[in-house]
């Protein structure tokens, strides 16, 4: 599976932004999609995900109520709608996918085999 992320940019605090990730290749019924982010010098951290075919969504506490993840029915496109952006949301955002991640590992980077190239989001104060 290859992932292509897009939609990053420079915005002001309080603004909204939508990231999109398109997958090519096989996405099984057990395919889980997620977004992570990383600031240089820090570990990659989980942001939001959609679990397997059941479509359960889950979020990091830091983005709950502000970010929404959505996915197309064929699991090929996953979007991250980001509202009320804060300067601390500034990071490189990566989409990720896995045909086999289990629920307990859904928020860990090691659980995902497929990664997009990253898209930079910069939020100015």
């Amino acid at each position: 599976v290859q992932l292509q992320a897009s939609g990053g940019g420079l915005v002001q605090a309080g603004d909204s932004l939508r990231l999109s990730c398109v997958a090519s290749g096989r996405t099984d019924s057990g395919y889980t999609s997620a977004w992570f982010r990383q600031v240089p010098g820090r570990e990659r951290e989980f942001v939001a995900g959609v679990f397997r075919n059941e479509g359960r969504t889950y979020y990091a506490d830091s983005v709950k109520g502000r970010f929404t993840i959505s996915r197309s029915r064929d699991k090929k496109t996953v979007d991250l709608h980001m509202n009320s952006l804060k300067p601390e949301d500034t990071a490189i955002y990566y989409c990720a996918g896995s045909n086999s991640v289990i629920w307990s590992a859904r928020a860990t980077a090691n659980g995902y085999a497929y990664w997009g190239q990253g898209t930079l989001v910069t939020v100015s104060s």
Side-chain angles (χ1 to χ4, degrees), residues 29-33 49-58 71 101-104 106 112:
S29 61
Y31 187 75
T32 295
S33 308
V50 184
F51 189 70
R52 294 188 177 178
N53 202 44
E54 58 203 80
R56 267 190 292 177
T57 59
Y58 47 102
R71 188 170 69 176
V101 68
I102 59 176
W103 180 250
S104 61
R106 67 194 184 279
Y112 295 83

Side-chain angles (χ1 to χ4, degrees), residues 48-93:
V50 184
F51 189 70
R52 294 188 177 178
N53 202 44
E54 58 203 80
R56 267 190 292 177
T57 59
Y58 47 102
Y59 298 90
D61 287 343
S62 59
V63 306
K64 274 182 185 175
R66 300 188 298 121
F67 291 11
T68 302
I69 189 170
S70 62
R71 188 170 69 176
S72 59
R73 189 178 297 273
D74 65 2
K75 304 184 190 66
K76 296 294 188 182
T77 303
V78 57
D79 291 339
L80 184 67
H81 303 264
M82 304 184 293
N83 297 321
S84 302
L85 282 161
K86 304 175 181 180
E88 51 263 44
D89 294 319
T90 295
I92 300 172
Y93 283 70

Side-chain angles (χ1 to χ4, degrees), residues 6 9 15 25 27 31 34-35 42-43 46 48 65 74 93 95-96 99-101 109 115:
S6 62
D15 285 352
T27 51
Y31 187 75
W35 286 93
R42 297 174 61 178
E43 289 190 0
F46 167 76
D74 65 2
Y93 283 70
C95 58
N99 283 311
S100 60
V101 68
W115 292 89

Side-chain angles (χ1 to χ4, degrees), residues 1-50:
V1 177
Q2 292 185 323
L3 304 177
Q4 181 71 39
S6 62
L10 171 63
V11 297
Q12 293 185 332
D15 285 352
S16 299
L17 200 61
R18 180 174 65 93
L19 305 183
S20 187
C21 179
V22 178
S24 59
R26 180 175 176 177
T27 51
D28 297 340
S29 61
Y31 187 75
T32 295
S33 308
W35 286 93
F36 287 75
R37 66 187 181 187
Q38 188 169 24
V39 175
R42 297 174 61 178
E43 289 190 0
R44 193 168 295 189
E45 67 171 0
F46 167 76
V47 175
V50 184

